[in-house]
Amino acid sequence: MESNKIENLLNAYFEGNTSLSEEKILKDYFNNHRVAEHLLQYKPIFVGLHVAGMEKSKQQLDTFEIKTSGIKPWWYSVAALLIIAFGVGAFYLSQPQLTAEEKEALVAFEKSKQAMMLLSENLNKGAGQLDLVDEFTVSKNKFLK
């Protein structure tokens, strides 16, 4: 009966479907000296796992502490805020300040640009009318021939 239970646990173990308690049962069974004859082939696996779990490193690891220079973490926030404020201020102060004469020139430029657009639209309408005259001339020449 115990052999069937162990076989079922082995199948589940190799499929990756066992819990830690079931794996402990398998390790305990195979680390005993009374393993069934047909299951002896699995004994080296579990004995090796047991031995690997018992290994301990004898190497000493040197650890060291990182000493801070006394700067508190909130100072980083203050520094970041000052940098952002400086950047925003520099951006606004670097914007060109126009004189009254330059502002008047910009207004005059906009007005002349609007006038040129109006002229361009009217010329395009006139060019469209000339296309109709050209078509009339072509049709007239066909009848007169």
Side-chain angles (χ1 to χ4, degrees):
M1 177 68 181
E2 186 174 316
S3 177
N4 288 337
K5 180 181 173 185
I6 296 298
E7 286 178 15
N8 290 338
L9 283 176
L10 273 174
N11 288 335
Y13 178 78
F14 289 123
E15 290 177 7
N17 296 328
T18 55
S19 64
L20 292 176
S21 61
E22 292 171 334
E23 289 178 18
K24 185 176 182 330
I25 292 170
L26 284 173
K27 287 178 188 176
D28 291 342
Y29 176 79
F30 282 105
N31 285 314
N32 277 337
H33 295 290
R34 52 183 173 87
V35 177
E37 185 71 30
H38 66 283
L39 298 176
L40 279 176
Q41 63 184 352
Y42 301 113
K43 185 172 181 170
I45 295 171
F46 291 98
V47 170
L49 287 173
H50 178 71
V51 170
M54 300 301 286
E55 284 183 5
K56 300 213 188 254
S57 175
K58 293 181 172 88
Q59 182 178 6
Q60 288 289 342
L61 297 176
D62 295 330
T63 58
F64 58 93
E65 289 185 29
I66 298 174
K67 294 182 181 179
T68 59
S69 62
I71 297 176
K72 305 287 187 223
W74 61 273
W75 278 105
Y76 295 127
S77 302
V78 172
L81 182 66
L82 288 174
I83 290 171
I84 290 171
F86 179 74
V88 169
F91 175 74
Y92 282 115
L93 292 176
S94 70
Q95 295 297 319
Q97 300 296 325
L98 300 177
T99 63
E101 188 177 290
E102 290 171 331
K103 288 179 183 176
E104 288 177 21
L106 282 174
V107 170
F109 172 73
E110 288 298 323
K111 284 184 180 178
S112 62
K113 190 165 89 172
Q114 288 174 353
M116 291 294 175
M117 288 299 291
L118 182 62
L119 178 65
S120 173
E121 288 173 6
N122 288 330
L123 283 176
N124 287 337
K125 285 180 187 176
Q129 295 296 326
L130 287 177
D131 288 338
L132 293 175
V133 170
D134 287 340
E135 286 181 29
F136 177 74
T137 305
V138 169
S139 303
K140 179 185 78 159
N141 288 338
K142 284 183 185 177
F143 285 114
L144 291 179
K145 284 185 181 179

